[in-house]
Amino acid sequence: MAKSLSEALEIVVRTDPGIIRGHNEDAVFANPNLGFAILADGMGGYNAGEVASGMATMFLSSELEAAFVARPPHEVDLASGQLFAHRCILDKVEITNSAIYNTAESQPQYAGMGTTLVTALFFDNQVTVAHIGDSRLYRLRGEEFGVITRDHSLLQEQIDSGMISAEEARFSQNKNLVTRALGVDPEVETEIHDYPVQVGDIYLLCSDGLNDMVEDEEIRLTLQMLGANLDLAATQLIQMANDNGGRDNVSVILIKVLCEFPATRGWWSKLLAWFK
Amino acid sequence: MAKLILSMDGLVLKEILLNKERMTIGRKATNDIQIDNLAISGEHAAVVTILNDSFLEDLNSTNGTLVNGQPAKKHFLKNGDVIELGKYKLKYVAEQVQPVVDAADFEKTMILRPNAAKAAPATATEPSAGTTEVKAAFNDTLVGNQITPPAFVPPPAAASVVGAIQILNGANAGRELELTKTLTTLGKPGVQVAVIAKRPHGYFITHVEGAQFPVVNGLAIDVQARQLADHDVIEIAGIKMEFFLKG
């Protein structure tokens, strides 16, 4: 078993209902030992949104924990040629989707519930990012700050098609419409990508309660100035969203890369890699 | 529903509801909005409406289209924009903000599904109290029911009062720094750093890093943020400074 990633990653998890909403439909989860984080922003009437996002983080986290304890994510799946991390995340998201969808179908009070999802899995000096909907992953690397995920939303589609500029998008009335969600259909399409990780990087997973209320530039400043104290940075981000009106639930997960974390492989696989 | 108010020389001629996804404007009778004037092209412009957003597009008209006095080919319409075609003006009025029935359901994230019509009855039968928008999400009649949130507007900065600090000792004594940004960090990275956050109701100092905590008026603060009052004296990494409010 590979040694814990908690020495390589500093993780802070924070969620807040905001100013206006009575309850919190966001759900957050992080496992510092296995190096993954999950954030979900639920939707649906009454408390169904909470149920959907709660199911998403709970189901997915326990499934991923079980899977990665049994088999490390950097191994290559022989059948598909993909990294085990990919196949595993896609499979487990599919299972989670079915669980939420079936609950929604069988219990009328949960009909139509769904949730966004963004998850980041760190292993072998890289991060695998999977997302559905408009919850985001940002990265701060030195001076460079930007969003890594591309929202599955009507607004993003309008930006992509050139109908509306990114500048104009801030004033759009259609901010809250997602084109993909977990648990609303029998099948789900997950977007998944890998990115190399550098020491000092700060990753931010957030719900739209943050990026709708706080401009990217302000988020960047906060991470840059308060990067030394991740706890404080998370508090500050939530505070800024609330100071700007706090119209939605706001959740953030901050992950700072403290040192390299190459996967520990057996001597035979090292030899194999050397021959390739 | 958003609408256009057609006027000429300050005289309102009519109000046109944007009740179709695409409304064309031109001289010919085939247009949704006909303006029978020689300065207007046969097919002059179109307004495309998607849920709560409308876009103006000039259809390569001879005399062009202006929005708020500027020539426009394609334009994302905002409430109050004035479109000019020849002598005619069309004022764009966005959907009126309905009174918020249930503030908690305001601006909810919703899933947009083209094939959602069949899912509608399931949610529509729920007993409802202030959940119209939620139901609308699973209905294909989104437009009518949705509450229009005001566009993102950063709150006004804490009145017109700006905080500032003046350094009292060391090489930079006498230097003054206005606290105009949301966050201003003070101190030496790796030794001791504190941050002053500008919030709508004032300025707050918080410890960021280092074994020593900032000292305010002779007393070390704890991990909590502390609000700064006019003429508070702060000490960070051996440097003393005074916080004050500028009118």
Side-chain angles (χ1 to χ4, degrees):
Chain A
M1 189 52 228
K3 70 174 192 300
S4 162
L5 275 181
S6 60
E7 287 157 35
L9 304 172
E10 183 185 346
I11 304 183
V12 172
V13 177
R14 203 62 60 81
T15 182
D16 189 273
I19 304 284
I20 310 283
R21 301 264 170 89
H23 55 158
N24 195 345
E25 298 194 332
D26 287 357
V28 284
F29 178 88
N31 182 325
N33 292 322
L34 292 171
F36 72 86
I38 306 170
L39 184 148
D41 176 355
M43 55 198 138
Y46 301 105
N47 61 348
E50 277 156 81
V51 174
S53 60
M55 280 180 78
T57 48
M58 224 172 64
F59 252 81
L60 191 59
S61 61
S62 55
E63 290 279 344
L64 291 179
E65 274 165 5
F68 293 134
V69 164
R71 190 176 174 188
H74 66 266
E75 276 187 16
V76 175
D77 186 51
L78 289 175
S80 60
Q82 289 176 323
L83 282 169
F84 177 62
H86 275 215
R87 217 208 64 198
C88 182
I89 289 176
L90 293 175
D91 281 357
K92 302 310 180 192
V93 169
E94 198 63 57
I95 291 171
T96 309
N97 182 67
S98 303
I100 299 172
Y101 180 73
N102 292 335
T103 308
E105 287 286 287
S106 60
Q107 301 194 41
Q109 72 270 33
Y110 300 143
M113 70 176 174
T115 179
T116 69
L117 180 79
V118 57
T119 174
L121 169 69
F122 291 80
F123 63 96
D124 199 13
N125 288 332
Q126 60 170 318
V127 58
T128 295
V129 182
H131 82 288
I132 299 164
D134 65 354
S135 293
R136 294 182 172 179
L137 178 88
Y138 285 88
R139 179 181 64 202
L140 176 75
R141 174 171 288 172
E143 291 288 302
E144 202 188 308
F145 176 75
V147 59
I148 302 287
T149 50
R150 175 174 289 265
D151 291 352
H152 302 132
S153 68
L154 177 68
L155 194 55
Q156 186 64 48
E157 285 185 6
Q158 290 178 337
I159 293 170
D160 291 347
S161 66
M163 265 178 89
I164 183 167
S165 71
E167 183 50 38
E168 289 167 340
R170 286 176 46 217
F171 301 101
S172 172
Q173 311 271 20
N174 291 337
K175 270 186 179 167
N176 52 339
L177 295 168
V178 295
T179 50
R180 286 192 208 175
L182 194 66
V184 295
D185 280 312
E187 279 174 18
V188 68
E189 199 184 337
T190 309
E191 189 170 335
I192 188 162
H193 300 284
D194 296 320
Y195 303 93
V197 161
Q198 287 180 14
V199 174
D201 282 356
I202 297 179
Y203 293 84
L204 162 69
L205 287 80
C206 67
S207 59
D208 62 347
L210 179 72
N211 52 272
D212 278 354
M213 303 306 300
V214 183
E215 284 178 51
D216 285 7
E217 179 57 21
E218 295 275 290
I219 301 177
R220 182 185 70 84
L221 268 177
T222 306
L223 294 185
Q224 247 170 4
M225 291 179 147
L226 307 180
N229 186 337
L230 230 44
D231 243 337
L232 185 60
T235 307
Q236 174 67 22
L237 289 174
I238 285 178
Q239 202 172 71
M240 285 196 292
N242 286 340
D243 282 350
N244 286 353
R247 285 204 301 269
D248 198 353
N249 306 145
V250 47
S251 301
V252 299
I253 301 178
L254 287 171
I255 300 156
K256 185 159 72 176
V257 181
L258 304 173
C259 62
E260 296 206 354
F261 49 98
T264 44
R265 298 177 166 89
W267 62 270
W268 47 271
S269 60
K270 276 184 198 149
L271 198 68
L272 215 66
W274 191 71
F275 275 119
K276 266 188 211 160
Chain B
M1 195 174 294
K3 61 188 175 186
L4 293 173
I5 300 170
L6 178 66
S7 66
M8 190 180 69
D9 297 333
L11 219 72
V12 173
L13 302 174
K14 65 172 163 181
E15 281 192 19
I16 303 135
L17 279 180
L18 295 173
N19 52 6
K20 275 173 70 178
E21 187 178 324
R22 185 182 168 87
M23 305 265 292
T24 57
I25 309 167
R27 198 184 62 249
K28 290 184 186 165
T30 48
N31 289 288
D32 298 298
I33 304 168
Q34 190 195 7
I35 305 177
D36 195 5
N37 181 291
L38 284 175
I40 312 288
S41 295
E43 278 141 8
H44 197 110
V47 175
V48 177
T49 303
I50 295 171
L51 301 177
N52 296 316
D53 288 337
S54 298
F55 303 85
L56 172 81
E57 198 183 336
D58 179 81
L59 302 172
N60 290 322
S61 63
T62 312
N63 296 319
T65 305
L66 302 180
V67 177
N68 303 331
Q70 297 294 318
K73 272 278 158 214
K74 201 155 194 180
H75 179 83
F76 170 61
L77 289 166
K78 292 182 209 63
N79 189 27
D81 278 354
V82 176
I83 307 163
E84 285 177 67
L85 304 85
K87 285 168 130 180
Y88 290 84
K89 287 186 178 170
L90 285 158
K91 186 172 179 181
Y92 174 73
V93 181
E95 188 181 356
Q96 291 303 303
V97 176
Q98 296 167 22
V100 178
V101 190
D102 181 352
D105 277 349
F106 189 49
E107 209 183 35
K108 280 211 152 138
T109 304
M110 303 187 229
I111 174 84
L112 180 68
R113 294 197 292 172
N115 57 348
K118 59 180 189 301
T123 42
T125 51
E126 273 180 44
S128 75
T131 55
T132 41
E133 317 91 290
V134 181
K135 282 197 292 187
F138 310 102
N139 219 305
D140 50 356
T141 58
L142 264 172
V143 180
N145 291 339
Q146 219 177 340
I147 284 176
T148 312
F152 176 83
V153 183
S160 58
V161 182
V162 168
I165 48 170
Q166 188 174 32
I167 298 173
L168 300 175
N169 64 354
N172 291 317
R175 246 188 71 195
E176 200 181 293
L177 179 66
E178 277 200 17
L179 305 169
T180 49
K181 288 198 274 184
T182 323
L183 295 173
T184 308
T185 49
L186 304 165
K188 294 190 190 95
V191 181
Q192 187 189 355
V193 178
V195 65
I196 296 181
K198 179 180 164 207
R199 301 188 56 191
H201 48 291
Y203 288 84
F204 293 79
I205 188 166
T206 315
H207 172 74
V208 180
E209 63 169 304
Q212 294 260 329
F213 280 60
V215 172
V216 178
N217 299 334
L219 286 171
I221 65 166
D222 57 12
V223 290
Q224 297 296 316
R226 185 190 193 282
Q227 183 158 15
L228 289 171
D230 206 5
H231 302 300
D232 273 354
V233 174
I234 307 161
E235 196 179 330
I236 296 160
I239 304 294
K240 276 191 176 169
M241 54 204 100
E242 184 181 337
F243 171 82
F244 61 98
L245 295 166
K246 296 174 106 174

